[in-house]
Amino acid sequence: MENTPAWLINSFIYLSAAVIAVPISKALGLGAIIGYLAAGMAIGPWGLGLVSNVDDILHFAEFGVVLMLFLVGLELEPKRLWSLRRPIFGWGSAQVLCCAGALFIYFDLLGQWSPALFGDWRVALVAALGLALSSTAIALQVMGERNLLPTASGQAGFSILLFQDVAAIPILALLPLLAGHFDATMAASGSNVPQVPINRVYEALKIVAVIGGIVLGGRLLLRPLFRWIARSKTPEIFTAASLLLVVGIAGLMQFAGLSMALGAFLAGVLLAESEYRRELETDIEPFKGLLLGLFFIAVGMSVDIPSVLKSPGLMAVLVLGFMAIKAAVIYSLARAQGLAFQDRPVFTLLLAQGGEFAFVVFQAASGARVIAPETASLLVGAVAVSMLLSPLVLVAIDKLLLPRFANCGAPPMDEISELQAAPIIIAGFGRYGQIISRLLIAHGHTCTVLDHDAEMIEAAARFGYRVFYGNAARLDLLRTAGAATAKILVIAIDNKIQSIDIADLAREHFPHLKIVARARDVTHWHELRDHGVTLVQREMFESSLQSGASVLELLGHAPEQVALSTQRFRAHNLDLFEKMHPHFKDNDRLIAVAKQGRQQFEEQMAQEREAGKARDAVLGR
């Protein structure tokens, strides 16, 4: 192992840690981010000590955040981005300024308790500005996993995160000014300090030139360049060009002292209307995933466990204090924005944690001698711990808070109270129930529709449908819906347990009702049949069968032959399910019956194909 290159050893360590930790974390329901962070803590300098160059790895892994912002930019066309200008600069600036103000007061008070660490107002200001920023990597990763970006809360969160990337630039520019004031005091006492650069005009012109070059180059050069590369018909070169684009723009932004992620996002927006957008996404996505995973591992490695253990009380006060203050401010902003009550907890938590730009701010402040190295180490540890805690708290919110308050904040709905007399009751007005009710209404039949989702009822009312608020699993509401006189009960809800409860309730108290039920899958079908429901339809069966028939016709099979084969397959499948049902609790027997039925059907179809060929030969086809 002495002659083995360090990059090969480190690559093996990173990949091994990720492959072991992430599947375990996912299996425990904790998500991939927790797995990456735990892997980093395990292999880092404060764990097993397998990796020591944490800063180098973190700087390299930040490129994963750059790639992620590039892909986000590809999803936003310039017109759509322009429509977000008010949320970005309105709510974004409100979040940064309000959080920074509240945190400055908090650290100013904390300085009275620990004057050695936070006694100077400059330290309180830097700490407040750095901790006001949130983790773009974690927030966008979670939003992507939950498909939140297209929602109102996702758009609001993204706007704030984008403004934070912009705000990091003036925050970093402010540090030399603070250092200059601090160094002037030291110079008066005879200390030797570095001089602060004063040529701000050159810096401003450089920033304008870089951004202007990216915008103009993106408009005039990128599409012809990718078109020329695509003509070479070498996919690996197109991938190389995609990476070169992101790396080049990130380098330009770094040269101008700007955010690399912001530059990559801007490049993505410029290519959002390009015909090569999808191919760029396909090429960049694998690199983004790997580097983001490496970034989270590096964050886990950066958790300074000795500092946490040395002052656990102070670390707890720091982490819980700044996260609680940010959560209170962000929740108030979410409420002012009019976000749905159910969206606020996740929205608040995703922005309440510290962010990766805080690492840069505190390290730069320490280098500029604005804050002491001990204070910077403590603040960096607090940010890392908050990034570690956030996914764990998110799991707790999902399992404990959101289910309990699922309908809180929704407009009050009056439950069905007047006795109904329609011959058909439909429980559930989702996609399945809507199709059934529309078909029945089109044939002149009246239905009593029940649903306990307030948002669904409001949406149905906007389209002219009358849906009553109520849970069909309650006997009193089922009776008020007219179950005593109705003829048919359609169970169209997607919750397996509730659908079975409704079926049991109806069969016990209203045995005259004929029940037609929706089954989500094979197991649900057998369970409903086991509870006495005979008319059960699997929700995907018919649509899958029709899609299969379309494929056969596209392959050249005669439509009448396809229709006959589809009909036979349907009949065989239903007959097979009836044979399997008595054994659905005996897994071995169930599999044996299924295999036997499938083999018989395949043999039958093979015989029919041979007979068809013989017929065609006789007829000279």
Side-chain angles (χ1 to χ4, degrees), residues 17-18 41 59 61 83 92 101 127 129 136 141 164 192 227 259 308 335 361 407 447 460 500 503 505 533 582:
M41 295 178 66
H59 291 153
S83 69
L129 291 172
T136 303
Q141 181 81 357
Q164 289 181 2
N192 185 18
R227 191 176 299 116
S259 164
V308 175
R335 189 173 182 180
V361 171
N407 291 320
C447 310
I500 292 172
L505 196 66
V533 183

Side-chain angles (χ1 to χ4, degrees), residues 55 58-59 62 175 358-368 371 376 380:
D55 289 339
L58 188 59
H59 291 153
E62 283 176 1
L175 297 179
F359 296 140
V360 180
V361 171
F362 296 143
Q363 289 169 359
S366 177
I371 61 177
V380 168

Side-chain angles (χ1 to χ4, degrees), residues 466-543:
R466 188 181 184 187
V467 181
F468 292 99
Y469 181 73
N471 187 351
R474 284 174 48 182
L475 178 60
D476 58 331
L477 293 182
L478 198 58
R479 183 174 282 114
T480 306
T485 57
K487 298 178 180 179
I488 301 169
L489 170 64
V490 179
I491 303 176
I493 64 176
D494 59 359
N495 187 293
K496 295 181 181 181
I497 297 176
Q498 284 191 358
S499 68
I500 292 172
D501 289 342
I502 294 171
D504 289 342
L505 196 66
R507 293 186 68 248
E508 180 180 356
H509 295 277
F510 311 104
H512 68 283
L513 276 178
K514 296 178 181 177
I515 302 175
V516 177
R518 160 200 188 183
R520 292 196 62 181
D521 49 38
V522 173
T523 303
H524 193 197
W525 187 93
H526 285 299
E527 289 174 345
L528 285 167
R529 287 298 311 274
D530 204 39
H531 284 258
V533 183
T534 56
L535 300 174
V536 186
Q537 295 293 331
R538 286 177 288 157
E539 59 182 28
M540 298 297 294
F541 179 67
E542 290 295 334
S543 58

Side-chain angles (χ1 to χ4, degrees), residues 360-443:
V360 180
V361 171
F362 296 143
Q363 289 169 359
S366 177
R369 305 180 67 178
V370 181
I371 61 177
E374 297 81 10
T375 305
S377 177
L378 198 64
L379 290 172
V380 168
V383 172
V385 171
S386 73
M387 294 172 74
L388 177 64
L389 285 177
S390 292
L392 289 172
V393 178
L394 190 60
V395 172
I397 287 176
D398 283 340
K399 294 185 177 179
L400 301 177
L401 185 64
L402 294 184
R404 182 174 296 181
F405 298 103
N407 291 320
C408 289
M413 290 281 180
D414 294 328
E415 291 184 341
I416 182 172
S417 56
E418 298 180 1
L419 183 64
Q420 303 298 309
I424 305 163
I425 300 173
I426 300 177
F429 198 66
R431 295 169 299 171
Y432 202 91
Q434 288 173 25
I435 293 173
I436 295 174
S437 63
R438 289 171 60 190
L439 179 63
L440 294 173
I441 292 171
H443 282 75

Side-chain angles (χ1 to χ4, degrees), residues 128-301:
L129 291 172
L131 294 176
L133 306 178
S134 311
S135 174
T136 303
I138 291 180
L140 289 184
Q141 181 81 357
V142 172
M143 288 181 186
E145 291 175 353
R146 295 164 175 256
N147 197 27
L148 294 177
L149 278 173
T151 66
S153 61
Q155 292 291 302
F158 172 73
S159 300
I160 291 174
L161 290 168
L162 189 58
F163 181 83
Q164 289 181 2
D165 287 343
V166 177
I169 301 166
I171 291 174
L172 291 172
L174 178 65
L175 297 179
L177 298 178
L178 296 175
H181 189 286
F182 183 54
D183 290 342
T185 304
M186 295 183 65
S189 63
S191 300
N192 185 18
V193 295
Q195 296 299 313
V196 180
I198 58 174
N199 193 358
R200 306 296 181 191
V201 176
Y202 170 72
E203 297 292 333
L205 290 176
K206 185 168 65 173
I207 290 172
V208 172
V210 168
I211 294 180
I214 291 174
V215 173
L216 292 176
R219 284 289 184 185
L220 302 176
L221 300 177
L222 286 183
R223 289 191 186 182
L225 176 64
F226 278 111
R227 191 176 299 116
W228 177 68
I229 294 172
R231 285 174 186 162
S232 68
K233 297 181 179 180
T234 49
E236 65 276 10
I237 297 300
F238 193 92
T239 302
S242 305
L243 291 173
L244 176 62
L245 168 68
V246 181
V247 171
I249 289 177
L252 281 174
M253 297 295 280
Q254 185 79 0
F255 167 74
L258 301 175
S259 164
M260 294 189 296
L262 183 63
F265 171 78
L266 189 59
V269 171
L270 294 173
L271 288 169
E273 296 176 328
S274 167
E275 62 269 30
Y276 302 108
R277 166 187 164 190
R278 293 302 176 194
E279 193 165 357
L280 286 167
E281 287 179 342
T282 304
D283 288 343
I284 295 293
E285 184 69 34
F287 297 97
K288 184 266 294 185
L290 282 174
L291 288 173
L292 261 186
L294 182 59
F295 171 78
F296 293 129
I297 289 177
V299 170
M301 289 190 294

